[in-house]
């Protein structure tokens, strides 16, 4: 593989992909992007924890620094150089910090571009409670969700034109021939949702629920209003369940009509909820929900909301998964006001690494990371975001990661 400016490490081996499975060596080369803002705080801290966890299970990660965001701009004159996309494609598994997206002004989000260019079609975010993290809920331990958000379509696909542009005017004119009247001073955005993208997302969510013994998959949509996009998402979701997982799934209707409300052993219940209702259900009937699958925009809102239920963005990890490829990143952004202050919580970045380990088949390592983070927070060693609510021993980003590694040694 030829890169313009990158020099891959000489040590380590590549992760391969064959017959639908990753083949992970004991010393994989893993590209990482530090990112913008607090990326420079949380990423180095997280890598130290991941190194320690890898060592504990007899493995070694060979890190390969690649660039996106401001650092990339300084080096390449581009915020997302071709080298970076090539490296992720070649090495298949990568971890990143947050990247800043300027609001308005013709910038497309780098995160969205990475997900779409590499066809990382599912944004998968587990949301569960870690003891010791302050939560606005009375019983936060009831939250145990995995959100599957479609990553490539919806109004997020970046198909939009500003007010007064030639394209917007053309579209407004064209739509008038279909009998649709749109104000001339409108900006226009398009919301495509396809059967293909919906089905592969829901397929992944159902397969995940089956593999991990989860009880239900809920399709979250606004199909009552947007019938042919969000409503179709629901219909195609049910179709996947029926056509591909008939012996492993029951619908909510079947559950009540045929099984008297008692879930048959070894099945996953597939149900759907309208998005606005889903928000309040997550608060009022939290433990009735398990795996959630939804289009892009719903997923964006709901992921942050769900993260808030268990203590906020500092602890919420995430992943972007395609076929044989994954990029792991925290849910939070680059929080520029805290950049370089050794202040913010690296937990979300560290737990994104735990997800990466799991994806690589290093389950034991993943558990070790999660346990050490939990021990650290439970012991009261915390960063400012947790400290301001519950007190304890206030530490910086680096020191928190060091405490996690220390606790790991005691496991
Ligand atoms: P943000 O960076 O996530 O920060 C919002 C607030 O969340 C912070 O002010 C802070 O709250 C809290 N927070 C975030 N990360 C934290 C951490 N590690 N530890 C403790 N608290 C943390 O959201 P934003 O200010 O809306 O976005 C800033 C930039 O990031 C934007 O350019 C946005 O586009 C980008 N972004 C990138 C990604 C990504 O790369 N995947 C994701 C989301 C946003 P307090 O102020 O209350 O302390």
């Amino acid at each position: 593989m030829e890169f313009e400016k990158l020099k891959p490490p000489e040590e380590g081996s590549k992760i391969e992909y064959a017959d639908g499975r990753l083949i992970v060596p004991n010393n994989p080369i893993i590209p990482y992007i530090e990112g913008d803002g607090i990326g420079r705080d949380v990423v180095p801290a997280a890598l130290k924890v991941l190194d320690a966890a890898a060592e504990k299970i007899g493995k070694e990660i060979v890190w390969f620094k690649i660039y996106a965001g401001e650092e990339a701009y300084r080096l390449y004159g581009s915020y997302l150089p071709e080298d970076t996309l090539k490296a992720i494609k070649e090495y298949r598994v990568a971890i990143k910090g947050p990247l800043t997206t300027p609001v308005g002004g013709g910038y497309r989000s780098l995160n969205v571009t990475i997900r779409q260019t590499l066809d990382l079609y599912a944004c998968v975010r587990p949301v569960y409670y870690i003891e010791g993290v302050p939560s606005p809920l009375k019983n936060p331990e009831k939250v145990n969700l995995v959100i599957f958000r479609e990553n490539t379509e919806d109004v997020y696909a970046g198909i939009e034109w500003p007010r007064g542009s030639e394209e917007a005017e053309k579209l407004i004119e064209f739509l008038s021939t279909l009998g649709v009247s749109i104000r001339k001073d409108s900006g226009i955005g398009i919301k495509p949702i396809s059967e293909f993208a919906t089905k592969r997302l829901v397929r992944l969510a159902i397969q995940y629920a089956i593999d991990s013994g989860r009880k239900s998959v809920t399709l979250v949509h606004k199909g009552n209003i947007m019938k042919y996009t969000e409503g179709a998402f629901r219909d195609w979701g049910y179709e996947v369940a029926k056509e591909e997982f008939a012996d492993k799934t029951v619908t909510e209707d079947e559950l009540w009509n045929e099984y008297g409300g008692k879930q048959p052993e070894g099945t996953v219940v597939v149900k759907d909820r309208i998005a606005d209702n889903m928000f309040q259900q997550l608060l009022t009937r939290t433990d009735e929900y398990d795996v959630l699958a939804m289009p892009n925009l719903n997923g964006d809102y709901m992921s942050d909301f769900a993260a808030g239920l268990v203590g906020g963005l500092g602890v919420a990890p995430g992943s972007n998964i395609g076929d044989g490829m994954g990029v792991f990143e925290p849910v939070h952004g680059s929080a520029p006001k805290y950049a370089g202050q050794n202040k913010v919580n690296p937990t979300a970045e560290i737990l994104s690494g735990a997800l990466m380990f799991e994806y690589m088949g290093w389950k034991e390592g993943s558990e070790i990371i999660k346990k050490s983070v939990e021990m650290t927070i439970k012991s009261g060693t915390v960063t400012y975001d947790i400290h301001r609510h519950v007190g304890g021993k206030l530490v910086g980003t680096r020191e928190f990661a060091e405490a996690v590694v220390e606790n790991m040694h005691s496991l």
Side-chain angles (χ1 to χ4, degrees), residues 288-301:
E288 290 177 26
Y289 296 94
D290 200 335
V291 174
L292 308 175
M294 62 197 81
N296 210 337
L297 183 64
N298 297 341
D300 188 21
Y301 297 151

Side-chain angles (χ1 to χ4, degrees), residues 98-101 111 313 329 332-335 337-338 345 384 388:
L99 294 167
T100 299
T101 309
N111 297 301
L313 294 178
E329 62 177 348
H332 66 69
S334 55
K337 67 179 177 183
Y338 293 128
N345 193 344
Y384 84 97
R388 71 182 162 197

Side-chain angles (χ1 to χ4, degrees), residues 209-277:
I210 292 169
D211 293 344
S212 53
R214 295 267 177 171
K215 284 202 147 18
S216 67
V217 173
T218 306
L219 308 167
V220 183
H221 59 87
K222 280 292 287 181
N224 52 331
I225 306 295
M226 294 170 270
K227 298 185 193 329
Y228 308 118
T229 50
E230 301 255 337
F233 179 91
R234 176 203 53 208
D235 296 345
W236 291 323
Y238 279 122
E239 269 176 39
V240 173
K242 196 162 159 222
E243 288 166 5
E244 302 178 28
F245 299 97
D247 54 336
K248 294 269 172 51
T249 57
V250 291
T251 63
E252 202 168 29
D253 283 348
E254 287 164 353
L255 177 68
W256 291 104
N257 297 338
E258 293 171 29
Y259 300 99
K262 197 167 177 308
Q263 184 166 352
E265 190 76 22
T267 62
V268 170
V269 174
V270 178
K271 51 190 175 184
D272 74 281
R273 295 289 181 270
I274 290 175
D276 37 348
N277 177 29

Side-chain angles (χ1 to χ4, degrees), residues 256-365:
W256 291 104
N257 297 338
E258 293 171 29
Y259 300 99
K262 197 167 177 308
Q263 184 166 352
E265 190 76 22
T267 62
V268 170
V269 174
V270 178
K271 51 190 175 184
D272 74 281
R273 295 289 181 270
I274 290 175
D276 37 348
N277 177 29
M278 191 69 230
F279 279 95
Q280 66 94 10
Q281 295 259 319
L282 280 187
L283 281 175
T284 53
R285 305 174 72 161
T286 316
D287 49 1
E288 290 177 26
Y289 296 94
D290 200 335
V291 174
L292 308 175
M294 62 197 81
N296 210 337
L297 183 64
N298 297 341
D300 188 21
Y301 297 151
M302 200 150 288
S303 303
D304 273 30
F305 173 74
L309 296 181
V310 292
L313 294 178
V315 296
S319 58
N320 299 288
I321 305 291
D323 292 328
M325 197 178 298
V327 175
F328 297 79
E329 62 177 348
V331 174
H332 66 69
S334 55
K337 67 179 177 183
Y338 293 128
Q341 294 177 23
N342 188 41
K343 176 170 173 139
V344 294
N345 193 344
T347 295
E349 188 76 52
I350 294 171
L351 293 179
S352 300
L355 289 181
M356 182 177 87
F357 272 39
E358 202 176 319
Y359 184 68
M360 286 158 54
W362 294 3
K363 188 120 186 63
E364 192 196 346

Side-chain angles (χ1 to χ4, degrees), residues 2-77:
E2 285 290 309
F3 293 105
E4 188 195 335
K5 296 199 177 191
L6 293 175
K7 238 178 133 226
E10 282 165 14
E11 313 281 299
S13 314
K14 250 192 280 185
I15 294 177
E16 305 286 354
Y17 182 64
D19 302 326
R21 301 177 75 91
L22 286 182
I23 303 160
V24 181
N26 284 336
N27 57 347
I29 298 174
I30 299 190
Y32 73 97
I33 296 170
E34 201 162 272
D36 296 323
I38 55 169
R40 82 179 85 134
D41 301 277
V42 295
V43 172
L47 297 196
K48 286 221 171 84
V49 173
L50 303 189
D51 280 338
E55 193 186 332
K56 199 139 172 94
I57 57 168
K59 321 263 185 191
E60 186 194 3
I61 298 171
V62 178
W63 297 110
F64 176 17
K65 180 162 179 164
I66 61 175
Y67 300 85
E70 285 150 23
E71 214 181 355
Y73 194 80
R74 286 195 292 276
L75 196 64
Y76 288 87

Side-chain angles (χ1 to χ4, degrees), residues 151-182:
N151 239 352
T152 64
E153 299 194 324
D154 205 344
V155 282
Y156 252 81
I159 311 171
E160 56 174 5
W161 295 276
R163 173 185 82 163
S165 62
E166 197 186 328
E167 293 88 346
E169 280 176 7
K170 261 193 198 157
L171 272 167
I172 291 170
E173 207 176 296
F174 170 68
L175 289 170
S176 74
T177 67
L178 302 180
V180 178
S181 156
I182 293 181

